[in-house]
Amino acid sequence: MATYAVTLIAGDGIGPEVTEATRRVLEATGIGFGWDHQEAGSDTLEKHGSLLPEATLESIRRNAIGLKGPITTPIGTGFRSVNVGLRHELGLYANLRPGKTIPGVQSTFDDIDLVIVRENMEDLYAGIEFDTGTDEARTVIEALGVVQTKAISPEAAIGIKVITPEGSRRIVRFAFEYARANGRRLVTAVHKANIMKFTDGLFLHVAQEVAAEYPDIAFNDRIVDNMCMQLMQKPDQYDVMVMPNLYGDIVSDLVAGMVGGLGVAPGGNIGDGVAVFEPIHGSAPTHAGKNEANPTAMILSGALMLRHLGERAAAEAVEAAVAAVIAEGAAVTYDLRADRDPAKAAGTTGMADAIIAKLG
Ligand code: NAD
C-alpha cells in the first residue's frame, strides 16, 4: 500500500485538537502517511519572526500536499493572514468547498449537495488597497482623475479589483474538470457583470468560452444576488458553482450554513501540482484546549485530501463513518446536539474514537 508524505500544520486555537483527531481517523483507514509536522501562525511569529516560515512552504512544495488546522490572524500587527499568504505563495488558485447535507446535523435544508469553486487569488483579495488620507491613496485618486471623470473624495480609501483572463480561465476549467471527474451535471458561473461590466464581464465571457470546451456538462450563469435568493428557494437546481473570490467567500459560507454550519464544512485549496486541505472554520479560540470542538469539518477535509490523492474508497469510508456517528447522535460534540449541552456531549477525542470504531 502507498505511503503518502503529507505536510501537517496543526494551527492554533482548536487547530491542534481537531488536527490530532483527523490524523488518527486518517491512519485508521489503513493508508500509510509520513506526516511532516510544520508550523505556521502566531507561535512561529515569536520564534522565527514570520507567521509562515519558509521551511513550512518548502515542505508543502516538496510533498505537494498539506493538511492544515485553522490559524488565528493577529489583528492590527500589519501581518497579513497566513491563509492568504499560503494561497499566494503556493499558487493555490482554487478553493473547493463542498456543501452536502449530513443526516442528523440540524439545518434548515435537506438534501443539499452543492459544490462551490471559489477563485482564491484575484478580485478584491489581490491585496491592492490604499488607506484613507495616505499619499499613496491620493496619488491613485489623482491618477484616476486622468482616466475618468467621476469625482472621488481625496479622503477615500481605495481597493482595486483585479480579474484576469488567465485567472478566470484556470478557475472555470478547474470547475469543469471537477464536474467531469465527479459525475456532476451542471456548472453555474456566478458574477455581477450587469454592474461590473469589465471585471465581472471578463469573468463571465471567459466562463462562456471555457463552457464551450465541455459539451458534456451543462452551463448557465447567475448574478450573485439572484444566486443567493435562488439557493434559498430552489437549491436542487444547482450543482457546481464557480465564482470570483469575494462572492465565493460569501456564497460558500451561505452554503455551509445551509448544511448545518462551520463545524461540518470542509475545504481544499488547490493549485497546479500542490494542494492544502483545511476546514472552513477558524481557530474558535473560546473552545481551545477544552476538548469540545467539533472535528468533523477537519476530518471531512482529510477525506477530500484522500480523494485528491486518488484514495476514493478510503475517502468514502471516512465520510460514511462520520455520517454514521452523526446519524446515531450518541458520540457527537455539543454543537451537533439539539440541547447543545456540553455535559451530555462527546469531546473532540471521543467523537474521533467513535468514527475510528466505525472504520475498524
Ligand atoms: P471561527 O470559525 O473560529 O468561529 C466562528 C463560530 O463558530 C464561533 O462561535 C466558534 O466557536 C464556532 N466554531 C467554529 N469551528 C468550530 C468547531 N470546529 N467546533 C465547534 N464550534 C466551532 O471564526 P472567527 O471567530 O471569525 O475566527 C477566529 C480566528 O480564526 C480569527 O483569527 C480568524 O482570522 C481565524 N480564521 C482562520 C481560518 C483559517 O485558518 N483557514 C479561517 C477563518 C478564520
Side-chain angles (χ1 to χ4, degrees):
M1 183 164 293
T3 294
Y4 297 98
V6 175
T7 302
L8 190 65
I9 303 169
D12 53 45
I14 60 170
E17 295 162 73
V18 294
T19 304
E20 177 61 9
T22 302
R23 184 192 65 73
R24 289 169 54 225
V25 168
L26 292 176
E27 288 187 353
T29 63
I31 289 174
F33 292 98
W35 302 110
D36 183 356
H37 295 269
Q38 296 290 335
E39 294 179 350
S42 41
D43 291 350
T44 47
L45 181 59
E46 281 154 31
K47 268 194 253 164
H48 305 285
S50 162
L51 285 173
L52 184 54
E54 189 51 39
T56 300
L57 288 169
E58 265 170 33
S59 163
I60 303 172
R61 285 193 194 103
R62 187 172 59 244
N63 297 323
I65 193 116
L67 184 62
K68 174 187 159 298
I71 292 174
T72 306
T73 302
I75 296 169
T77 58
F79 285 95
R80 73 173 175 173
S81 146
V82 172
N83 307 304
V84 175
L86 255 184
R87 290 167 202 167
H88 281 264
E89 293 291 337
L90 298 172
L92 304 172
Y93 61 84
N95 185 204
L96 181 66
R97 294 187 176 188
K100 195 169 186 329
T101 298
I102 306 174
V105 175
Q106 283 186 330
S107 60
T108 32
F109 292 84
D110 298 324
D111 290 332
I112 297 296
D113 187 6
L114 297 164
V115 177
I116 306 287
V117 175
R118 166 189 174 190
E119 202 287 324
N120 233 354
M121 297 172 69
E122 302 194 330
D123 196 1
L124 287 160
Y125 286 64
I128 308 173
E129 257 198 308
F130 305 95
D131 203 357
T132 176
T134 57
D135 288 346
E136 290 81 5
R138 291 209 182 92
T139 305
V140 173
I141 292 164
E142 276 167 30
L144 287 171
V146 176
V147 290
Q148 58 92 50
T149 53
K150 287 195 184 77
I152 303 173
S153 162
E155 297 309 310
I158 300 279
I160 305 288
K161 176 168 165 120
V162 178
I163 301 278
T164 67
E166 56 277 14
S168 303
R169 196 166 292 116
R170 69 181 179 181
I171 194 67
V172 178
R173 281 221 171 98
F174 179 93
F176 275 97
E177 289 294 331
Y178 179 89
R180 201 177 254 175
N182 291 280
R184 299 277 176 166
R185 61 190 160 82
L186 169 69
V187 172
T188 302
V190 181
H191 59 87
K192 188 81 186 175
N194 54 331
I195 303 295
M196 282 164 272
K197 293 188 190 307
F198 298 139
T199 47
D200 282 15
L202 173 61
F203 180 82
L204 175 59
H205 178 67
V206 169
Q208 288 162 337
E209 275 178 8
V210 172
E213 297 167 18
Y214 295 85
D216 50 322
I217 312 276
F219 172 76
N220 60 16
D221 71 274
R222 292 288 178 269
I223 293 170
V224 62
D225 38 346
N226 182 30
M227 182 80 254
C228 291
M229 190 183 68
Q230 296 214 16
L231 281 174
M232 292 299 108
Q233 291 188 325
K234 36 190 170 181
D236 51 310
Q237 293 193 5
Y238 295 92
D239 191 354
V240 177
M241 289 165 277
V242 59
M243 59 201 86
N245 210 335
L246 177 61
Y247 311 142
D249 194 7
I250 297 166
V251 176
S252 59
D253 266 32
L254 181 78
V255 170
M258 291 168 75
V259 300
L262 292 174
V264 296
N269 296 297
I270 301 160
D272 290 326
V274 58
V276 177
F277 294 85
E278 61 175 338
I280 291 176
H281 64 68
S283 55
T286 56
H287 297 291
K290 298 178 181 166
N291 190 33
E292 64 185 24
N294 186 350
T296 302
M298 182 87 191
I299 291 170
L300 292 178
S301 302
L304 275 184
M305 181 185 85
L306 288 173
R307 245 174 240 283
H308 182 82
L309 291 169
E311 298 287 355
R312 187 176 279 259
E316 284 170 2
V318 169
E319 286 160 357
V322 168
V325 167
I326 291 175
E328 284 171 12
V332 295
T333 47
Y334 79 97
D335 57 311
L336 293 176
R337 292 179 58 88
D339 59 10
R340 293 182 76 84
D341 184 353
K344 294 185 190 147
T348 312
T349 49
M351 186 166 177
D353 290 342
I355 294 166
I356 290 165
K358 297 277 176 208
L359 287 166

